[in-house]
């Protein structure tokens, strides 16, 4: 089966929106061509709408979601800075690693994998951290953490949020919640191929950035004169590196599709189809892993029934039905499946097909 016909329901790339695929296939423009710069400017405007922010420093960082994570930390964290990190999955662990490599004194606040973080434990972990960091949608467990509650109590600290799996899937409100810096990835609910990290940073964070981060490539001060932009709202761009023009065109097109549908309608579509998937799995007698109230509609974790061979079910779904579901990550490997219902795939026909195929394969 041609790979493009497969339904990718794992936490990897969701099937791109048709518009995103068309965007990738357009004739290439030079990275300094005024026509490309217009697309780039519009892409940043569209990102501001999807992030719900007026931050001038809002752009697609070249690189995957992890580049967004690195950009957030290297620009804000230096030796000895206290960084509180909420950890209840693989990506909270990764934040600790990245912060430690910047020389931070990392204060971890753990919750068991599969459970949400307790916002008061995160806020009470240190008297005066410079940064509090947490993952909004933990892709490794299917759990939503309450970024808004942590934002309300952050005090003088900067709040850093990983929104790789949440942006354009569930409500994210950078300015309304008071998030200082956030990043995402194109391959999740936005429905574009992997390769860019939508990024936004507000004025408080910009004013506290490190003067010379150890990464040249991710030094946001090199990308544009955002000090002037923070006052004027206009971005003064200068050459820094060659923009990945095809990826930007694809992101531009997919964000256009999201905004044409309406951000709230897109959230509602994820909610309705994710919940239908979860209800259907429970009706089949399967047990969901994440607790009710904290389940991500776009990423469902379900316990693998006793006696069922994890790999062979996933293999049959892929080879016979063209459906890919994700294996468990880290400690949950072999214990749960992670089923994406995100981006273009968050539709009733996808949910019905997966439920029917899984019931058939489990019943063999
Ligand atoms: N953060 C979260 C929550 C993720 O799900 C991922 C990837 O799945 C990342 C960070 C890292 O993103 P990438 O794999 O695109 O570098």
């Amino acid at each position: 089966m041609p790979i493009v016909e497969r339904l990718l329901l794992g936490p990897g790339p969701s099937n791109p929106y048709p518009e995103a695929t068309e965007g990738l296939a357009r004739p290439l423009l030079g990275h300094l061509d005024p026509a490309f710069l217009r697309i780039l400017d519009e892409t940043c405007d569209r990102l501001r709408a999807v992030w719900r922010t007026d931050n001038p420093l809002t752009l697609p960082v070249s690189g995957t979601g992890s580049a967004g994570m690195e950009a957030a930390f290297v620009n804000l964290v230096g030796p000895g800075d206290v960084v509180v990190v909420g950890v209840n999955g693989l990506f909270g662990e990764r934040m600790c690693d990245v912060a430690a490599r910047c020389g931070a004194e990392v204060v971890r606040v753990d919750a068991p994998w599969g459970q949400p973080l307790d916002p008061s434990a995160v806020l009470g972990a240190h008297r005066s951290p410079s940064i509090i960091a947490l993952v909004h949608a933990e892709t490794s467990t299917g759990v939503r953490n309450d970024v808004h509650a942590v934002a309300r109590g952050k005090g003088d600290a900067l709040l850093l949020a990983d929104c790789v799996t949440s942006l354009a899937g569930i409500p994210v409100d950078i300015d309304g919640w008071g998030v200082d810096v956030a990043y995402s990835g194109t391959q999740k609910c936005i429905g574009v191929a992997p390769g860019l990290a939508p990024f936004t940073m507000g004025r408080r964070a910009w004013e506290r950035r490190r003067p010379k981060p150890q990464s040249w490539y991710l030094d946001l001060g090199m990308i544009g004169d955002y000090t002037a932009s923070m006052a004027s709202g206009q971005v003064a761009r200068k050459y820094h590196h060659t923009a990945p023009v095809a990826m930007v065109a694809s992101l531009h097109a997919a964000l256009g599709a999201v905004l044409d549908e309406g951000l709230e309608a897109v959230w509602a579509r994820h909610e309705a189809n994710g919940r239908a998937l979860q209800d259907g799995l429970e009706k089949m007698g399967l047990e969901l892993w994440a607790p009710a109230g904290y389940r991500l509609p776009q990423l469902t974790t379900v316990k693998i029934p006793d006696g069922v061979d994890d790999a062979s079910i996933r293999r049959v779904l892929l080879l016979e039905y063209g459906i890919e579901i994700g294996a468990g990550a880290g400690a949950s490997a072999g214990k749960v499946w992670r089923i994406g219902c995100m981006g273009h795939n968050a539709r009733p026909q996808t949910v019905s097909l997966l439920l029917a195929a899984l019931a058939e394969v489990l019943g063999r």
Side-chain angles (χ1 to χ4, degrees):
M1 171 176 300
I3 287 188
V4 284
E5 284 178 16
R6 283 185 174 154
L7 274 179
L8 296 167
L9 298 183
S14 59
N15 266 4
Y17 285 96
E19 294 84 354
T21 315
E22 272 171 39
L24 264 183
R26 276 192 211 134
L28 291 181
L29 289 165
H31 73 112
L32 298 176
D33 187 314
F36 171 71
L37 294 178
R38 264 197 307 280
I39 291 175
L40 182 57
D41 282 340
E42 265 178 36
T43 302
C44 296
D45 287 343
R46 291 176 184 189
L47 280 177
R48 275 184 275 273
V50 171
W51 280 118
R52 298 213 148 172
T53 184
D54 290 331
N55 289 338
L57 205 178
T58 300
L59 77 168
V61 167
S62 302
T64 64
S66 304
M69 188 188 288
E70 295 259 9
F73 281 98
V74 296
N75 281 278
L76 296 173
V77 180
D81 289 346
V82 175
V83 178
V84 170
V85 185
V87 185
N88 59 343
L90 186 71
F91 296 102
E93 288 285 353
R94 187 175 297 183
M95 280 182 160
C96 292
D97 192 358
V98 173
R101 286 166 192 244
C102 296
E105 181 192 322
V106 177
V107 179
R108 293 173 62 111
V109 181
D110 282 86
W113 283 40
Q115 294 296 317
L117 294 165
D118 171 0
S120 58
V122 174
L123 291 170
H126 193 275
R127 209 169 19 89
S128 55
S130 50
I131 293 183
I132 302 174
L134 74 164
V135 177
H136 188 202
E138 241 310 340
T139 327
S140 59
T141 62
V143 168
R144 178 182 59 81
N145 287 314
D146 193 344
V147 171
H148 191 189
V150 177
R152 276 197 292 262
K154 70 179 176 176
D156 189 50
L158 296 174
L159 181 65
L160 187 164
D162 175 316
C163 298
V164 168
T165 292
S166 57
L167 190 67
I170 54 174
V172 171
D173 190 353
I174 295 298
D175 289 357
W177 292 351
V179 176
D180 297 287
V181 57
Y183 56 87
S184 186
T186 38
Q187 74 271 27
K188 298 290 198 295
C189 300
I190 301 172
V192 179
L196 292 174
F199 185 93
T200 188
M201 180 184 274
R203 182 195 282 256
R204 273 176 97 233
W206 174 257
E207 286 170 355
R208 295 193 210 173
R209 76 191 187 283
R210 295 186 58 71
K212 206 162 177 131
Q214 41 87 355
S215 167
W216 180 91
Y217 193 68
L218 296 173
D219 179 352
L220 295 166
M222 304 278 293
I223 291 176
D225 179 2
Y226 285 97
T227 304
S229 306
M230 294 286 168
S232 69
Q234 301 294 311
V235 176
R237 188 175 289 110
K238 59 185 180 187
Y239 165 73
H240 174 257
H241 65 275
T242 307
V245 290
M247 282 303 303
V248 172
S250 181
L251 176 60
H252 175 264
L255 291 170
V258 166
L259 294 171
D260 281 350
E261 184 177 348
L263 190 53
E264 288 176 5
V266 169
W267 295 338
R269 179 164 54 74
H270 280 83
E271 176 72 19
N273 289 291
R275 298 302 167 215
L277 171 65
Q278 291 166 2
D279 289 349
L281 292 168
E282 287 192 310
K283 281 197 191 111
M284 285 165 60
L286 298 173
E287 197 187 334
L288 302 177
W289 189 29
Y294 295 92
R295 287 178 191 147
L296 297 171
Q298 68 273 43
L299 196 284
T300 295
T301 46
V302 57
K303 294 186 184 170
I304 301 172
D306 287 344
V308 166
D309 183 48
D310 169 22
S312 70
I313 297 288
R314 286 187 290 107
R315 192 171 47 248
V316 173
L317 282 176
L318 184 65
L319 298 182
E320 293 185 18
Y321 291 88
I323 299 174
E324 181 187 349
I325 64 170
S332 72
K335 299 188 182 130
V336 301
W337 289 313
R338 295 179 304 141
I339 307 178
C341 186
M342 53 179 78
H344 193 60
N345 271 340
R347 308 208 180 265
Q349 58 269 42
T350 311
V351 172
S352 303
L353 182 63
L354 180 272
L355 289 172
L358 189 59
E360 199 278 323
V361 174
L362 285 174
R364 283 183 189 177

